[in-house]
């Protein structure tokens, strides 16, 4: 059996919106601990937790002021340790989020940098530069809107590819490199099974800091020749981290958040002595269309196979519009999301489930402006609605907000109609999204082909995707808007699961996927 991370289904816990134990309206680590039985019963293999470290929360915890502790809002260091222990007792692995591209502006290093003069050792850990006259050093833009430079009292500017409260570190600096190696060891010593690496394609910057040229944006997947995304120098960092993780027992792992346009460039991060896996954003970005989905799968598999790395399929996360809404919303969005789940969970490699997708939650689009907290919304003055709509706290039970999220309120309001989407409500309904995910994950754990079988495409009509995973298992997806006949290969095969009821003779209605056990 290959190591767990090559085929794991990993549940993304967005801590502040998962479960609140103390009634302050913000989810926390004791809340996560209390819901571990839910994750075990769902059938996932591991959880990835978004950052819970001490942080002023200028970017929901991606502005870290202490990498070795827990923010009091989310609990205490002992809660993180207990969470690892409890999860392991339930047979679940645990991945923490590592944020190496930038710290918080309240990190002691940045405070020291502000207090120290230009040219000092303190400033050298960050990217301070002189401006061009009264202008910033170059035209780089923040991914959250506005420029990527902020001027300090003595006239120098510092770089922040995200919010001004997230100053970028200088990864050519030895102290920076050593500090992060030590942070890795701190958590590995406490038993964490791996790390999700934030902005893994962003650590190195062109030392000349040239202006962004035509077609070189800050947001969106990186294209070749970009001055601050996907530079070759980042790979050295990951080679040194891999040497550390390999020194620990028990298959510790890294998953990179790497937004690059070319799957072959992505694969470079997954060479055998670098990161283990990366999120597959090509798949996430593909429209619900058979040709586009197949291309995303093929291109990814081809590039990753060349370096011996497994794929990890993703449909949603805390940065993108929830896929029920992305795929059209309403009943259509839900049908497609159900079919997409069976597609994703039948592909070779690992998969990520973002909390709430197993409940079929849609994006919340009508949040009041004064409650929105995403810096993207604030820095673009609302032109970009930002990511709060996919971060609304989970509905667990009951008929009114906060739907069992915690004993108090919820930091973002939950729609009243989520009463029919609660975990409790769906758990007893065999036709619910939750029941579909539970069944699919149960089969995934018991059908060996789903873990180890190679992908083989089967001939199928234009809107249909059909593939096997070795001789025994077949997945068919009708992504079109007309019913489609199932391919010959599944005539007489046993239907294992379908995303919605099939028609007579095994006809697949529009936006439906089915899994079959095909006897030889
Ligand atoms: C990617 C994270 O997923 C996102 O939420 C965050 O805003 C940026 N990196 C900056 O850390």
């Amino acid at each position: 059996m290959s190591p767990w991370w090559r085929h794991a289904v990993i549940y993304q816990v967005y801590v502040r919106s998962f479960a609140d134990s103390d009634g302050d309206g913000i989810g926390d680590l004791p809340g996560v601990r209390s819901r571990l039985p839910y994750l075990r019963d769902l059938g996932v293999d591991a959880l990835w937790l978004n950052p819970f470290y001490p942080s002023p929360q200028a970017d929901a915890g991606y502005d870290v002021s202490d990498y070795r502790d827990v923010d009091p809002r989310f609990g205490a260091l002992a809660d993180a340790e207990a969470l690892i222990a409890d999860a392991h007792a339930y047979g679940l692995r645990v991945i923490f989020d590592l944020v190496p591209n930038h710290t918080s502006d309240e990190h002691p290093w940045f405070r020291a940098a502000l207090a120290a003069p230009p040219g000092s050792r303190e400033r050298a850990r960050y990217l301070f530069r002189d401006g061009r006259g009264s202008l910033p050093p170059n035209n780089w833009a923040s991914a959250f809107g506005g420029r990527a430079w902020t001027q300090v009292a003595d006239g120098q500017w510092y770089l922040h590819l995200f919010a001004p409260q997230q100053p970028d570190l200088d990864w050519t600096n030895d102290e920076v490199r050593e500090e992060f190696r030590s942070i890795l060891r701190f958590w590995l010593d406490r038993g964490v099974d791996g790390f999700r690496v934030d902005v893994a394609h962003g650590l190195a910057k062109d030392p000349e800091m040239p202006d962004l040229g035509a077609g070189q944006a800050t947001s969106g997947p990186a294209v070749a020749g970009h001055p601050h995304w996907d530079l070759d120098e980042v790979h050295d960092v990951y080679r040194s981290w891999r040497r550390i993780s390999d020194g620990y027992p028990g298959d510790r792992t890294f998953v990179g958040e790497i937004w690059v346009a070319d799957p072959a460039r992505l694969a470079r991060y997954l060479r055998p002595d670098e990161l283990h896996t990366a999120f597959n954003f090509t798949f996430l970005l593909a429209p619900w269309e058979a040709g586009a989905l197949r291309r995303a799968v093929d291109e990814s598999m081809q590039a990753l196979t060349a370096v011996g790395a497994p794929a990890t399929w993703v449909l949603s996360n805390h940065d993108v519009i929830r896929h029920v809404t992305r795929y059209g919303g309403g009943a259509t969005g839900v049908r497609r999301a159900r079919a997409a789940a069976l597609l994703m969970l039948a592909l070779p490699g690992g998969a990520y489930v973002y909390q709430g997708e197993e409940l079929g939650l849609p994006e919340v689009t009508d949040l009041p402006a004064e409650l929105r907290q995403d810096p993207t919304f604030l820095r673009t003055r609302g032109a970009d609605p930002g990511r709060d709509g996919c971060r609304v706290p989970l509905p667990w039970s009951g008929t009114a907000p906060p739907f069992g999220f915690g004993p108090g309120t919820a930091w973002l309001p939950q729609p009243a109609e989520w009463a029919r989407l609660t975990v409790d409500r769906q758990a007893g309904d065999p036709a619910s999204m939750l029941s579909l995910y539970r069944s699919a994950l149960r089969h995934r754990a018991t059908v060996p082909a789903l873990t180890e079988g190679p992908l083989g495409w089967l001939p199928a009509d234009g809107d249909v995707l059909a593939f096997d995973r070795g001789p025994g298992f077949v997945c068919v997806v009708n992504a079109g808007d007309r019913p489609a006949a199932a391919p010959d290969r599944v005539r007489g095969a046993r239907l294992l699961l379908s995303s919605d009821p099939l028609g007579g003779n095994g006809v697949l209605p529009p936006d439906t996927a089915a899994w079959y056990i095909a006897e030889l």
Side-chain angles (χ1 to χ4, degrees):
M1 186 85 162
S2 52
W4 70 277
W5 49 266
R6 294 190 74 89
H7 46 76
V9 177
I10 300 178
Y11 186 93
Q12 179 186 350
V13 177
Y14 194 67
V15 179
R16 59 165 47 226
S17 300
F18 187 67
D20 176 24
S21 73
D22 59 8
D24 66 358
I26 300 175
D28 46 40
L29 297 184
V32 180
R33 284 181 70 195
S34 74
R35 296 290 187 179
L36 287 174
Y38 169 75
L39 298 179
R40 177 204 52 199
D41 295 346
L42 181 59
V44 296
D45 303 297
L47 37 152
W48 148 39
L49 288 93
N50 288 96
F52 48 70
Y53 315 107
S55 158
Q57 303 290 314
D59 181 21
Y62 283 96
D63 48 321
V64 181
S65 54
D66 179 353
Y67 289 82
R68 297 179 181 82
D69 205 347
V70 173
D71 192 289
R73 291 177 189 85
F74 301 124
L77 183 57
D79 294 313
E81 292 170 337
L83 173 66
I84 297 173
D86 286 3
H88 286 170
Y90 282 119
L92 296 163
R93 315 251 183 177
V94 183
I95 291 178
F96 285 174
D97 212 315
L98 187 73
V99 189
N101 181 66
H102 42 264
T103 68
S104 161
D105 62 342
E106 292 188 19
H107 189 285
W109 272 7
F110 193 71
R111 291 189 169 177
L114 288 184
S120 57
R121 170 183 168 185
E122 287 81 0
R123 287 225 171 157
R125 297 168 182 144
Y126 293 90
L127 291 158
F128 281 85
R129 294 289 181 275
D130 294 329
R132 292 186 289 198
S134 59
L135 295 173
N138 64 26
N139 70 356
W140 293 3
S142 153
F144 293 157
R147 56 188 175 198
W149 296 94
T150 290
Q151 196 167 26
V152 301
D154 55 45
Q156 275 209 312
W157 301 75
Y158 70 88
L159 179 72
H160 51 85
L161 292 180
F162 295 91
Q165 298 89 338
Q166 295 167 293
D168 280 50
L169 289 162
D170 183 345
W171 273 86
T172 65
N173 182 299
D174 284 339
E175 268 189 282
V176 170
R177 289 174 177 247
E178 186 41 46
E179 173 67 357
F180 275 84
R181 287 194 285 261
S182 150
I183 293 165
L184 288 179
R185 289 190 206 98
F186 179 86
W187 290 111
L188 289 167
D189 287 341
R190 281 166 178 72
V192 77
D193 297 287
F195 300 92
R196 176 259 189 195
V197 184
D198 189 58
V199 203
H201 58 305
L203 272 44
K205 278 89 184 174
D206 183 333
E208 302 297 321
M209 297 205 160
D211 275 344
L212 284 173
Q216 291 180 331
T218 301
S219 38
V223 292
H226 200 285
H228 64 65
W229 291 144
D230 191 30
L231 272 74
D232 288 343
E233 287 72 14
V234 294
H235 297 283
D236 243 10
V237 175
Y238 303 129
R239 279 190 280 270
S240 88
W241 291 5
R242 182 66 179 258
R243 285 194 292 277
I244 292 175
S245 69
D246 279 353
Y248 281 80
D251 289 328
R252 316 292 177 107
T253 192
F254 291 104
V255 52
E257 186 217 19
I258 303 163
W259 289 91
V260 294
D262 177 1
R265 292 292 299 183
L266 180 74
R268 291 163 54 87
Y269 291 76
L270 308 181
R271 289 175 287 196
D273 59 347
E274 297 195 37
L275 304 178
H276 303 74
T277 57
F279 299 110
N280 190 328
F281 295 127
T282 313
F283 183 68
L284 182 152
L285 293 171
W288 182 249
E289 193 264 299
L293 290 165
R294 179 164 173 172
R295 263 193 310 282
V297 172
D298 279 342
E299 284 175 13
S300 309
M301 297 290 298
Q302 211 176 12
L304 296 175
T305 307
V307 291
T312 60
W313 310 101
V314 190
L315 292 168
S316 278
N317 65 33
H318 65 292
D319 290 330
V320 300
I321 295 176
R322 281 189 177 275
H323 60 273
V324 162
T325 304
R326 237 176 38 233
Y327 288 150
T332 303
V334 171
R335 279 188 77 85
R336 291 178 177 171
R338 294 174 66 89
L342 293 199
L343 167 61
M344 171 174 87
L345 294 171
L347 290 169
Y352 281 82
V353 174
Y354 174 48
Q355 68 177 44
E357 82 174 60
E358 81 281 17
L359 304 177
L361 297 186
E363 185 83 359
V364 180
T365 51
D366 58 356
L367 291 169
E370 65 278 10
L371 296 181
R372 288 191 182 262
Q373 298 197 12
D374 184 358
T376 315
F377 177 81
L378 305 172
R379 280 177 66 83
T380 62
R381 301 213 166 87
D384 183 334
R387 302 162 294 177
D388 292 311
C390 65
R391 299 175 175 181
V392 174
L394 283 194
W396 291 92
S397 57
T399 54
F403 297 119
F405 169 65
T409 53
W411 69 278
L412 282 174
Q414 301 149 305
E417 59 274 15
W418 282 13
R420 57 179 183 79
L421 295 177
T422 63
V423 170
D424 272 7
R425 186 78 180 263
Q426 296 198 38
D429 174 3
S432 69
M433 187 73 91
L434 180 58
S435 296
L436 179 73
Y437 269 78
R438 283 182 173 164
S439 302
L441 291 170
R442 209 169 37 244
H443 290 310
R444 210 179 134 103
T446 50
V447 177
L450 275 169
T451 313
E452 306 286 345
L455 175 107
W457 291 108
L458 302 171
D461 292 346
D463 287 333
V464 175
L465 295 169
F467 57 91
D468 63 19
R469 296 287 312 280
F473 175 89
V474 177
C475 173
V476 184
V477 183
N478 177 10
D481 54 12
R482 271 179 296 203
D488 291 347
R489 176 67 190 282
V490 300
R491 300 248 155 83
R494 180 161 64 87
L495 177 69
L496 204 57
L497 184 64
S498 63
S499 59
D500 273 295
L502 301 188
N505 270 342
V507 165
L508 280 102
D511 300 326
T512 306
W515 286 4
Y516 302 87
I517 293 291
E519 313 298 344
L520 281 174

